[in-house]
């Protein structure tokens, strides 16, 4: 997946493409992904377009005709009626994460990279079965390799499927798999969690960035940064169980501070032109105050208060995607 710095990308995302034809005309682009011979662009309004090589259906428009002009693929197959939050382009396939947590993929399937068996390719997006290591999990980030895929889940585990001839699935085998398998973390330092999973459009290998839980400190106001992309910043907080979530935050959501609460906190989702963090506080709590801040770069002084537009015990914190290509939420809890 193509990575562009927020400062460089902001100029692109805030200016309409008035000089382009096709599906990108007068659109604002939120993110890009460059495959080996094709490109995907996710627009700020949630539409998804593609162009380039298309021999295996990697453009997702139900043809094998290449296109020099961007075409809208959101009306085909498993993406019909859905809003896409992230995209990844592989060697000859594509992958999309939707705001409802589902995955869709299309293009070549010669190495089971679509997560399916019995077909050699798909010319339209098809749903990736929620099976294997991703079953029951919420996906935070995606990446596409030459003939395999990686996903990062909110519990900070990583999973992969597809070609594994060089061990790129990271599951201690070289067997190709259409079902997602967990990336083996047994060799990581104790307490490590996956912060970022990455690969490239022609890659036969994968990368993972791991981090240790932060040291504990005492505080009556505690916060945890919840990303709108596939990165996570954890400040030093009171967290003796080392799950990366402060005790006060766990209590504020009726979670057990003595047990791992990874993947159980609310996660911001892209809805239309905004990243939205929405939740209802537990009925049993009466002395807890909730708030949120956002930042585009995590620099000191960059955090801005996010207005709570919910009512009563239902909280809604929303930040426009036009603010930056990357947005970090900091959920604040005090008692």
């Amino acid at each position: 997946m193509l990575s562009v710095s927020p400062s460089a990308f902001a100029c692109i995302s805030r200016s309409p493409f008035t000089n382009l034809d096709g599906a990108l005309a007068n659109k604002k682009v939120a993110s890009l992904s460059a495959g080996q011979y094709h490109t995907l662009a996710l627009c700020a309004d949630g539409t998804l377009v593609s162009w380039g090589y298309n021999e295996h259906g990697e453009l997702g428009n139900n043809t094998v005709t290449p296109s020099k002009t961007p075409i809208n693929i959101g009306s085909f197959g498993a993406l019909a009626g859905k809003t896409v939050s992230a995209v990844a382009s592989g060697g000859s396939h594509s992958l999309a994460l939707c705001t409802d947590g589902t995955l869709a993929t299309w293009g070549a399937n010669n190495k089971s990279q679509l997560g399916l068996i019995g077909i050699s390719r798909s010319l339209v997006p098809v749903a990736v079965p929620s099976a294997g290591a991703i079953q029951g999990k919420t996906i935070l980030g995606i990446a596409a390799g030459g003939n395999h895929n990686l996903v990062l889940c909110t519990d900070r585990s990583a999973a992969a499927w597809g070609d594994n001839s060089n061990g790129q699935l990271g599951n201690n085998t070289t067997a190709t798999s259409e079902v997602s398998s967990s990336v083996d973390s047994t060799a990581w330092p104790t307490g490590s969690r996956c912060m970022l999973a990455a690969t490239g459009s022609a890659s036969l290998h994968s990368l993972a960035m791991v981090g240790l839980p932060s040291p504990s400190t005492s505080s009556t106001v505690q916060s945890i940064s919840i990303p709108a992309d596939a990165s996570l910043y954890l400040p030093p907080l009171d967290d003796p169980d080392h799950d990366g979530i402060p005790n006060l935050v766990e209590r504020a959501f009726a979670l057990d501070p003595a047990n791992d609460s990874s993947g159980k906190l609310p996660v911001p989702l892209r809805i239309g032109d905004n990243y939205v963090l929405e939740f209802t506080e537990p009925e049993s709590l009466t002395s807890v105050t909730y708030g949120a801040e956002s930042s585009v770069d995590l620099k000191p002084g960059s955090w801005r208060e996010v207005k709570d537009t919910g009512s009563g015990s239902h909280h809604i914190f929303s930040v426009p995607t036009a603010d930056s290509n990357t947005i970090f939420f900091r959920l604040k809890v005090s008692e």
Side-chain angles (χ1 to χ4, degrees):
M1 179 179 290
L2 179 66
S3 175
V4 186
S5 67
S7 58
F9 197 74
C11 295
I12 299 176
S13 63
R14 293 173 185 168
S15 301
F17 281 86
T18 55
N19 61 331
L20 290 181
D21 294 326
L24 277 183
N26 300 309
K27 294 274 189 179
K28 296 181 180 180
V29 174
S31 64
L32 292 167
S33 180
Q36 192 168 13
Y37 301 113
H38 73 291
T39 302
L40 298 176
L42 179 60
C43 299
D45 62 2
T47 58
L48 180 60
V49 302
S50 61
W51 65 95
Y53 197 59
N54 196 30
E55 181 180 359
H56 304 283
E58 50 265 60
L59 298 190
N61 67 336
N62 203 27
T63 76
V64 290
T65 304
S67 178
K68 296 180 180 179
T69 302
I71 54 177
N72 192 329
I73 63 175
S75 59
F76 294 97
L79 288 182
K82 299 214 174 183
T83 300
V84 176
S85 59
V87 291
S89 304
S92 54
H93 74 285
S94 303
L95 182 67
L97 173 63
C98 300
T99 55
D100 63 1
T102 58
L103 289 169
T105 186
W106 57 98
N109 194 41
N110 58 310
K111 296 293 184 178
S112 299
Q113 57 266 54
L114 300 190
L116 302 169
I117 59 175
I119 60 173
S120 61
R121 67 185 184 186
S122 178
L123 306 186
V124 298
V126 291
V128 177
S130 180
I134 64 173
Q135 185 172 6
K137 294 192 176 184
T138 301
I139 296 172
L140 181 61
I142 59 175
N147 295 303
H148 73 289
N149 298 300
L150 282 174
V151 297
L152 176 65
C153 301
T154 54
D155 65 358
R156 292 294 151 179
S157 64
W161 69 93
D163 184 24
N164 197 27
S165 55
N166 291 274
Q168 53 265 58
L169 301 189
N171 62 357
N172 203 29
T173 77
T174 55
T176 293
S177 177
E178 77 278 357
V179 179
S180 63
S181 60
S182 296
V183 173
D184 188 353
S185 61
T186 56
W188 299 355
T190 302
S192 294
R193 300 198 304 159
C194 186
M195 316 302 275
L196 179 67
T199 184
S201 62
S203 295
L204 299 177
H205 69 289
S206 303
L207 297 170
M209 181 175 70
V210 300
L212 292 169
S214 300
S216 301
T217 61
S218 298
S219 177
T220 56
V221 179
Q222 299 185 352
S223 64
I224 183 170
S225 295
I226 305 175
D229 68 346
S231 311
L232 183 65
Y233 168 78
L234 296 173
L237 299 167
D238 184 17
D239 181 27
D241 61 348
H242 301 299
D243 64 354
I245 303 172
N247 280 4
L248 178 55
V249 175
E250 289 177 306
R251 292 196 299 271
F253 288 93
L255 302 174
D256 184 0
N259 292 308
D260 190 350
S261 299
S262 300
K264 298 179 182 179
L265 290 176
V267 176
L269 297 174
R270 179 175 177 154
I271 302 176
D273 292 337
N274 299 279
Y275 281 118
V276 180
L277 178 63
E278 183 174 3
F279 61 89
T280 299
E281 61 187 72
E283 295 180 0
S284 59
L285 299 176
T286 58
S287 60
V288 175
T289 301
Y290 300 83
E293 296 178 332
S294 69
S295 170
V296 299
D297 53 21
L298 298 178
K299 293 181 180 178
S302 68
W303 291 98
R304 296 183 298 172
E305 194 77 26
V306 179
K307 183 179 179 180
D308 187 352
T309 58
S311 61
S313 62
H314 189 68
H315 303 276
I316 302 174
F317 301 97
S318 180
V319 178
T321 56
D323 283 2
S324 176
N325 182 42
T326 302
I327 298 172
F328 295 86
F329 276 93
R330 181 158 69 185
L331 179 62
K332 299 192 301 179
V333 177
S334 60
E335 62 179 5

